[in-house]
């Protein structure tokens, strides 16, 4: 297998423009793709990235699967029996690459590798708030994860070797019982294509698919999260509850909403749920209110929260603030590949933390968030704003941003 590629998009900052036809989308503009296909129907794009090679070589992917920082799974289909194990995997724990019918999946490769992050950046015509991660699968001949459906939108980009994809909407989404992974009981494909390096298949949620390697292959899946109503409601209520706690601890009337029952009479049936408790708790719950700002604050903090296994790497010998500013003026700065920075008109959300968008921050923060970098010359104009330089230096010391946008 070839070493990793020099020709995966080298500019990490190429955000496709909505109205510009793109090879990535088979010469559709992002606007046309979103209108016609996104969340609606599958699209096969031949040579979406001509001449692509895998962002990581097989050995580099195996090395990542050996690390605690990355989430990896090994799926085997030996003697027609499905098995799944979770990583990390030492090299001798993986089956031989000469053995057929197995696949290794590594999630969140974009958090660990700049080339993978650059590949992901090509899909930023879709809001960052929807982005989940870039997964890379390696499979030997016959390898795959079985016929299944996802609740995610996904772009399946063939980055090495060939894979036969069969897919289609299903009437029956019931799963085979007793398996360690979700495999459909009665899969029926409407379409079947063999994807070669550079080809890509877009699938909206719930379109069942089965991808089987034809010889050794690697596929990159760019996945977009679509949280369920129960996940959103649960997390939102948790966010509101935390805010209520903060408000209480800050307020002199602390405890005003705590449960009280001065009118509780003595009881002869101690196991009976008291009616006054039901009423009082109902009154406490009826006090919960929220507006659009609370929803935005929840979404911004929740969606920018780093995944549980994310660890930032602060600089070992950080520059002091003055030297940091000088360096940034020369060579700009960029967000770390693990950083998520979102914003709206009132606030910005950086790796799960929220702050108000001041008038001064409006001049640079949306630009940094959208482009994921600031050029040195922009920094020269803006660096008179000390609130900006203090904040950026803090982020730099935390490993959230880096000087040298061009590195
Ligand atoms: C794979 O890359 O093998 C699996 C991707 C998927 O089916 O979602
Ligand atoms: Co899938």
């Amino acid at each position: 297998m070839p070493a990793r590629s020099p020709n995966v998009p080298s500019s990490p900052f190429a955000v496709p423009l909505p109205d510009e036809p793109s090879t990535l989308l088979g010469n559709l503009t992002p606007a046309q793709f979103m209108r016609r296909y996104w969340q609606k129907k599958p699209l096969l794009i031949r040579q979406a990235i001509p001449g692509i090679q895998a962002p990581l070589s097989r050995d580099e992917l195996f090395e990542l699967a050996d690390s605690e920082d990355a989430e990896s799974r090994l799926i085997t289909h030996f003697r027609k029996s499905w098995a799944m194990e979770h990583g990390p995997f030492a090299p001798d724990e993986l089956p031989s690459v000469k053995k057929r019918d197995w696949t290794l999946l590594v999630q969140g490769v974009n958090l660990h590798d700049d080339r993978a992050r650059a590949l992901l950046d090509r899909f930023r015509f879709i809001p960052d708030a929807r982005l989940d991660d870039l997964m890379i699968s390696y499979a030997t001949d016959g390898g795959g994860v079985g016929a299944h459906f996802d609740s995610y939108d996904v772009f399946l980009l063939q980055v090495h070797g060939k894979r036969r994809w069969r897919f289609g909407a299903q009437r029956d989404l019931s799963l085979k019982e007793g398996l360690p992974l979700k495999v459909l009981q009665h899969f029926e494909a409407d379409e079947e294509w063999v994807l070669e390096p550079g080809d890509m298949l877009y699938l909206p949620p719930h379109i069942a698919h089965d991808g089987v390697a034809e010889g050794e292959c690697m596929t990159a899946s760019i996945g977009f999260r679509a949280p369920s109503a129960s996940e959103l409601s649960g997390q939102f209520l948790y966010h509101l509850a935390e805010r209520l706690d903060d408000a209480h601890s800050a307020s002199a009337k602390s405890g005003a909403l705590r449960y009280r029952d001065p009118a509780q009479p003595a009881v002869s049936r101690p196991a009976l749920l008291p009616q006054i408790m039901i009423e009082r708790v109902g009154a406490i719950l009826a006090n919960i209110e929220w507006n659009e700002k609370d929803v935005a604050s929840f979404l911004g903090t929740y969606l920018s929260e780093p995944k549980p296994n994310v660890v930032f790497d602060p600089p070992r010998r950080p520059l002091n603030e003055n030297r940091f500013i000088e360096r940034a003026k020369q060579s700009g700065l960029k967000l770390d590949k693990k950083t998520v920075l979102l914003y709206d008109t009132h606030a910005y959300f950086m790796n799960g933390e929220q702050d108000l968008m001041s008038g001064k921050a409006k001049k640079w923060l949306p630009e940094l968030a959208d482009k994921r970098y600031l050029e040195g010359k922009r920094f020269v104009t803006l660096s008179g704003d000390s609130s900006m330089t203090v904040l950026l230096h803090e982020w730099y010391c935390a490993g959230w941003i880096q000087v040298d946008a061009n590195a």
Side-chain angles (χ1 to χ4, degrees):
M1 189 166 202
R4 66 173 160 188
S5 135
N7 61 354
V8 163
S10 58
S11 162
F13 311 123
V15 180
L17 297 170
D19 293 314
E20 219 164 77
S22 168
T23 315
L24 184 73
L25 300 170
N27 282 333
L28 292 176
T29 67
Q32 288 167 329
F33 170 81
M34 295 306 276
R35 264 197 315 272
R36 296 180 199 165
Y37 295 95
W38 178 249
Q39 296 252 298
K40 299 167 194 78
K41 56 185 180 189
L43 177 63
L44 171 72
I45 301 144
R46 292 289 183 197
Q47 292 307 291
I49 304 186
I52 196 171
Q53 287 174 14
L56 272 76
S57 68
R58 180 179 73 196
D59 288 348
E60 284 167 326
L61 192 72
F62 288 4
E63 206 178 296
L64 196 52
D66 189 12
S67 137
E68 292 280 351
D69 298 344
E71 206 186 305
S72 52
R73 283 166 294 159
L74 169 67
I75 294 169
T76 58
H77 195 206
F78 301 149
R79 287 181 293 276
K80 299 214 163 129
S81 160
W82 289 108
M84 176 165 76
E85 275 177 65
H86 288 274
F89 301 103
D92 61 354
E93 289 172 322
L94 294 174
S96 157
V97 294
K98 295 194 183 105
K99 194 172 165 80
R100 39 176 298 132
D101 297 336
W102 66 272
T103 183
L104 171 74
L105 313 175
V106 185
Q107 295 287 154
V109 182
N110 53 295
L111 303 171
H112 304 282
D113 184 272
D114 285 320
R115 274 149 291 210
R117 172 74 232 189
L119 195 49
L120 190 66
D121 284 340
R122 292 193 163 212
F123 295 83
R124 289 186 75 222
F125 56 89
I126 298 158
D128 289 349
R130 284 286 261 112
L131 183 65
D132 190 35
D133 74 341
L134 182 140
M135 176 184 91
I136 295 187
S137 68
Y138 164 83
T140 58
D141 188 36
V145 302
H148 67 283
F149 64 92
D150 301 304
S151 315
Y152 278 17
D153 300 85
V154 68
F155 293 89
L156 297 155
L157 173 66
Q158 197 58 22
V159 294
H160 176 77
K162 292 186 200 173
R163 185 184 285 275
R164 181 176 296 274
W165 284 105
R166 296 162 63 233
F167 58 92
Q170 307 292 299
R171 242 174 271 134
D172 178 1
L173 285 177
S174 58
L175 301 174
K176 287 189 182 166
E177 277 175 27
L179 295 185
L181 64 167
K182 290 179 175 171
V183 180
L184 285 165
Q185 220 162 4
H186 309 287
F187 171 60
E188 282 175 31
D190 304 329
E191 292 190 60
E192 177 169 339
W193 304 101
V194 176
L195 269 66
E196 307 218 358
D199 293 346
M200 184 166 81
L201 178 62
Y202 163 72
L203 294 176
H206 293 117
I207 296 290
H209 49 285
D210 187 13
V212 179
E214 301 213 333
E216 186 185 55
C217 89
M218 279 169 105
T219 306
S221 305
I222 297 95
F224 292 84
R225 57 175 150 184
S228 67
S230 77
E231 176 186 342
L232 287 171
S233 321
Q235 294 294 336
F236 179 60
L237 289 173
Y238 181 75
H239 176 87
L240 280 182
E242 276 193 326
R243 205 195 51 175
L244 267 182
D245 276 351
D246 289 351
H248 282 185
S249 50
S251 125
K253 282 203 231 147
S254 174
L257 277 179
R258 181 168 292 279
Y259 181 69
R260 301 173 70 243
D261 56 358
Q264 174 66 56
V267 296
S268 55
R269 290 195 286 166
L272 181 67
L273 200 54
Q275 184 58 29
I276 60 168
M277 178 182 265
I278 297 171
E279 283 165 18
R280 170 81 187 137
V281 170
I284 290 176
L285 297 179
N287 268 315
I288 302 176
E289 32 180 65
W290 65 85
N291 56 29
E292 213 169 85
K293 265 195 194 168
D294 299 312
V295 177
S297 145
F298 155 65
L299 284 172
T301 47
Y302 182 55
L303 298 175
S304 68
E305 184 69 45
K307 299 211 169 167
N309 54 352
V310 164
V311 182
F312 287 92
D313 308 311
R316 258 192 235 137
R317 278 197 237 119
L319 303 170
N320 68 26
E321 198 182 317
N322 285 339
R323 293 197 49 214
F324 164 76
I325 296 167
E326 284 317 308
R327 179 78 74 80
K329 280 182 187 167
Q330 283 158 17
S331 45
L333 46 84
K334 65 176 179 185
L335 299 184
D336 181 78
K337 53 184 167 305
K338 295 175 186 166
T339 282
V340 182
L341 176 57
L342 305 172
Y343 66 91
D344 69 5
T345 42
H346 307 286
Y348 66 86
F349 312 92
M350 177 76 155
N351 296 330
E353 291 180 14
Q354 163 178 357
D355 211 341
L356 289 180
M357 179 83 84
S358 65
K360 281 184 174 171
K362 272 194 185 133
K363 294 201 181 117
W364 59 273
L365 198 135
E367 181 183 341
L368 174 62
D370 287 328
K371 297 207 307 206
R372 294 187 65 84
Y373 75 104
L374 277 183
E375 282 164 25
K377 57 176 190 265
R378 286 289 287 127
F379 210 78
V380 174
T381 353
L382 291 161
S383 63
D385 171 6
S386 62
S387 60
M388 165 189 171
T389 50
V390 168
L391 189 61
L392 287 174
H393 185 247
E394 256 173 45
W395 290 349
Y396 155 75
C397 290
W400 290 3
I401 58 172
Q402 284 148 16
V403 268
D404 293 336
N406 306 319

